[in-house]
Amino acid sequence: MPPAPRPLDSAGLPEGYPFQPDWEVTPRQVKRALDAGGPMVLLDVREPAELGLAAIAEAVVFPMSEIKSRLVELDQYAEDRVVVVCHHGARSMQVAAFLRQQGFEEVHSMAGGIDLWSRDIDPEVARY
């Protein structure tokens, strides 16, 4: 049996989470932005098998394995605020760094990924 998840702090992050504000946004910040309808692209970089397990309806899907080969398709978002999401946040951080190297200026990873989204924002999104 996996260990119980750590309690969440006042920002909605697991206690002790090493949050990097220059690189990450919290699920709560993403939820507020989505609710406000502001210009933001939620970029889900998980693979197709994962998408069948859990998804955020507003997300645009570009699997991490296809990012380099489909970079030209992402150019349409180069001037937008982009928040990258994966399962727990490691792959999204890698993609955020790659996109910044490609000239995307406002790119962040969603801390804790869709797993934390499920825990803190929408428990209807399955955890896996």
Side-chain angles (χ1 to χ4, degrees):
M1 176 181 246
R6 291 182 287 178
L8 302 182
D9 65 17
S10 62
L13 296 168
E15 288 183 3
Y17 183 92
F19 184 70
Q20 300 175 61
D22 290 341
W23 284 96
E24 295 177 293
V25 293
T26 68
R28 289 180 185 180
Q29 290 171 311
V30 172
K31 175 70 170 141
R32 280 193 298 272
L34 290 171
D35 288 348
M40 182 187 74
V41 177
L42 186 60
L43 184 67
D44 192 329
V45 297
R46 294 173 305 130
E47 297 301 318
E50 294 174 279
L51 295 167
L53 299 172
I56 300 172
E58 298 87 350
V60 174
V61 177
F62 278 82
M64 182 176 175
S65 62
E66 300 174 10
I67 290 290
K68 288 181 181 177
S69 66
R70 296 179 63 191
L71 188 58
V72 69
E73 294 175 59
L74 290 171
D75 283 345
Q76 64 185 312
Y77 307 121
E79 302 297 319
D80 297 330
R81 177 178 185 204
V82 177
V83 175
V84 187
V85 63
C86 66
H87 188 197
H88 286 111
R91 288 176 288 173
S92 59
M93 186 69 82
Q94 291 174 10
V95 171
F98 173 74
L99 291 176
R100 285 187 183 185
Q101 290 171 349
Q102 304 309 307
F104 288 70
E105 293 182 14
E106 195 174 350
V107 180
H108 292 86
S109 171
M110 188 171 79
I114 198 165
D115 185 74
L116 187 54
W117 178 271
S118 175
R119 286 183 58 203
D120 190 46
I121 303 299
D122 186 357
E124 295 296 315
V125 173
R127 294 185 67 210
Y128 63 100

